[in-house]
Amino acid sequence: MLPPRSTRTRELLRLDGLWRFALDAADAPRPYASTLQTRREAPVPASYNDIFADQEIHDHVGWVWYQRTVRVPRGWSGERVFLRVDAATHEGAVYVGDRLVAQHVGGYTPFEADITELAIAGEEIRVTIGVNNELTNRTIPPGTISVDERGRRRQSYRHDFFNYAGLPRSVWLYSVPDVHVTALRTRTTITGTTGVVHYDVEASGEAEVRVRLVDEDGETAAEAGGASGALSVPDAELWRPGHGYLYELQVELLADEAVVDAYGLPVGIRTVEVRGARFLINGEPFAFRGFGKHEDSAIRGKGRDDALLVHDFALMEWVGANSFRTAHYPYAEETLEYADRHGIVVIDETAAVGLNLGLGGGVHGVAEQAAFSPEMFDEHTQRAHAQAIRELIDRDRNHPSVVMWCLMNEPDSVEPGSREYFAPLVELARELDPTRPLTFAGEYRAHADTDSIADLFDVITLNRYYGWYSDSADLVAAERHLEQELRAWTDAYDKPIMIGEYGADSYAGLHSVLDQPWSEEYQQRLLETFHRVFDRIDAVVGEHVWNFADFQTSPGFFRVDGNKKGVFTRDRQPKAAAHVLRARWRG
Ligand code: BDP
């Protein structure tokens, strides 16, 4: 699905701001049929959970309703009108007036509806969006709903980050001409110093296609005609880490020589390849330095925010990071566009976190039953997972910053059923995008000799917590065990090893000269311990610390106001560990 843009032939309105807001109530069966009976207003974009000082809203399980009116611009008469929701976590139902126009499951990818018949230019429409936050064994990520003794529905899940919900990204109303571009796929290759942009345009009707590649100075670098083809750029300026050079692919649809639709897409010319134990960008070995992140901040939850976006990237630059993983779901498209423009490398992950009964947000246990079974994760889960992969690749395939797909985080990859579950998903991802390497982030129980799916992937990503969840307070043992394990992987596979997560919680302000878990110094020393091992093992091509910043988790005794593995606090102040990283990555 193409990001909405304003062009010569298209206009758009961002419907951000305050919407009427209400929890679903049994005595209001059709909340969309009239003005929502509520005095509450909720901001869009934002998760709703922390906005109100209200436990019931914070803990709500089920539907909530957002509503506002919008006047369709007078000038849109004769155009097609679309309503697009960038994210509704985890299920959305969109009504215009009392008509259902779109439904979508999957909390981190966009969906839209053609509402032309209902959107009369110059008139007001009532837009109501129902959002449901329920997670079950048939959703990605999975979860379980139970009913407590007071009859309240409770949601539990197998990941530690809080299940923020609502409309965390923008809602758009936009116009397109009757015949318009509906899809645009690009991939780039490099031969010598010539960059080639291969493109593929789909349109809603018959039209001639003309494309032009324009450089950052506005000069035409190449031109072509036809719905698919290749544009060659001699002496191309490449997109590379730290240098987000972008051309613009300008697509025009013509009928009788006249332009009927125009759309522009930023394109970075670069290649990605795995060769032996190396990860190559433009043929050069690349070493990932950075973080697993979250979309998370106080009050807004997962709500998108430009100030936070720019600030997080500024801190990543300050600390010397060149990359991050979108743990544990696809991030807002604005984040990827920013990464494209600034040359930051992204590992793009689906929301498949928690397909594992032996793990719960880092707490280890032995699974009592098989994860991949009709009672747990079955073909319905797998279908939802396949859809999550399709929507991720469809949305993000044109971003040069995205160099690898991460199909899931810490699944059970040990039990025999896992191969049967994951192999078809790997095949699907390869079919959809043969140009990018694939990985998954593996958990601690899956070692070189117990994992049953690593061979299906290009890069071995390991999340490792030696010195924290095991060998706690014993960094000598942690160093030995980490090295033993990594050597076992390099003996078994000639593939790059990416450390997808490593780190320790630390409570900002807690200090100790001893190896005291939760102190800022222990977090520093644990990172240094890992770094010594990485530097001894050639196949380690990357280090992503868990986490960029402290983040909110599901309530419980196990975390004190959230996960504190941040190198920055939740309000983005550096802990001591940030200086260790800055010295290593910038020094
Ligand atoms: C890993 C998970 C991550 C958790 C982390 C932790 O991938 O989502 O936040 O552990 O426990 O298992 O801090």
Side-chain angles (χ1 to χ4, degrees), residues 159-161 294 325 327-328 353 359-364 409-410 441 443 463 465 468-469 501 505 546-547 551 553 558-559 563-565:
H159 52 76
D160 71 341
F161 59 95
H294 261 302
R325 175 169 61 116
H328 293 308
V353 52
L359 268 188
V363 186
H364 308 145
N409 183 69
E410 298 197 346
E443 52 122 331
N463 295 351
Y465 287 98
W468 190 254
Y469 291 122
E501 290 182 21
D505 286 86
W546 190 256
N547 186 285
F551 59 90
T553 55
F558 178 61
R559 306 268 196 231
N563 187 311
K564 302 285 188 217
K565 292 193 187 69

Side-chain angles (χ1 to χ4, degrees), residues 40-333:
R40 260 195 197 108
E41 298 177 52
V44 175
S47 308
Y48 60 75
N49 310 77
D50 292 350
I51 297 289
F52 307 95
D54 189 313
Q55 193 73 44
E56 193 190 347
I57 297 177
H58 179 267
D59 296 345
H60 179 69
V61 178
W63 291 94
V64 299
W65 298 93
Y66 289 80
Q67 190 184 69
R68 64 166 280 172
T69 54
V70 53
R71 188 170 296 282
V72 181
R74 267 196 310 173
W76 289 12
S77 149
E79 302 299 292
R80 297 215 76 82
V81 179
F82 281 78
L83 187 64
R84 183 201 218 247
V85 180
D86 283 354
T89 320
H90 297 278
E91 179 178 353
V94 181
Y95 296 81
V96 171
D98 54 10
R99 184 102 67 84
L100 177 67
V101 296
Q103 256 178 310
H104 179 261
V105 179
Y108 304 97
T109 40
F111 59 102
E112 62 183 12
D114 183 337
I115 61 161
T116 311
E117 307 317 321
L118 302 167
I120 314 289
E123 303 282 307
E124 229 176 34
I125 52 172
R126 186 179 65 242
V127 179
T128 311
I129 306 182
V131 183
N132 186 316
N133 63 353
E134 293 175 26
L135 298 174
T136 69
N137 283 345
R138 296 182 171 198
T139 60
I140 291 293
T144 307
I145 294 170
S146 55
V147 179
D148 71 10
E149 55 210 4
R150 282 156 56 196
R152 289 175 314 171
R153 302 173 75 233
R154 313 295 280 175
Q155 174 79 64
S156 61
Y157 33 91
R158 301 176 186 284
H159 52 76
D160 71 341
F161 59 95
F162 185 76
N163 187 34
Y164 280 115
L167 296 174
R169 300 178 189 161
S170 290
V171 178
W172 306 85
L173 191 69
Y174 70 94
S175 75
V176 292
D178 188 29
V179 175
H180 57 273
V181 176
T182 53
L184 188 47
R185 283 179 289 273
T186 58
R187 93 193 142 79
T188 58
T189 53
I190 302 167
T191 318
T193 58
T194 301
V196 185
V197 177
H198 307 262
Y199 71 91
D200 195 5
V201 179
E202 281 172 27
S204 62
E206 284 295 306
E208 193 191 322
V209 180
R210 200 159 64 190
V211 298
R212 195 147 60 104
L213 198 68
V214 176
D215 68 18
E216 285 193 357
D217 298 324
E219 302 293 328
T220 299
E223 285 180 287
S228 56
L231 294 156
S232 285
V233 186
D235 293 322
E237 177 134 7
L238 303 184
W239 187 98
R240 57 173 197 275
H243 183 71
Y245 192 89
L246 296 173
Y247 291 86
E248 190 183 46
L249 182 66
Q250 297 179 348
V251 179
E252 288 178 343
L253 299 185
L254 296 105
D256 301 326
E257 304 283 299
V259 174
V260 292
D261 189 24
Y263 190 85
L265 180 81
V267 174
I269 301 178
R270 58 111 185 90
T271 60
V272 180
E273 188 193 340
V274 167
R275 206 181 297 151
R278 292 275 164 269
F279 193 98
L280 309 176
I281 299 182
N282 302 337
E284 311 247 324
F286 178 67
F288 296 81
R289 297 185 307 259
F291 302 95
K293 284 186 97 262
H294 261 302
E295 290 186 320
D296 175 90
S297 70
I299 306 167
R300 311 164 179 75
K302 297 202 173 304
R304 197 190 77 73
D305 176 299
D306 280 335
L308 198 69
L309 168 80
V310 175
H311 191 57
D312 278 6
F313 276 93
L315 291 177
M316 284 196 278
E317 186 184 344
W318 175 87
V319 79
N322 60 13
S323 55
F324 64 93
R325 175 169 61 116
T326 71
H328 293 308
Y329 36 82
Y331 289 2
E333 287 164 89

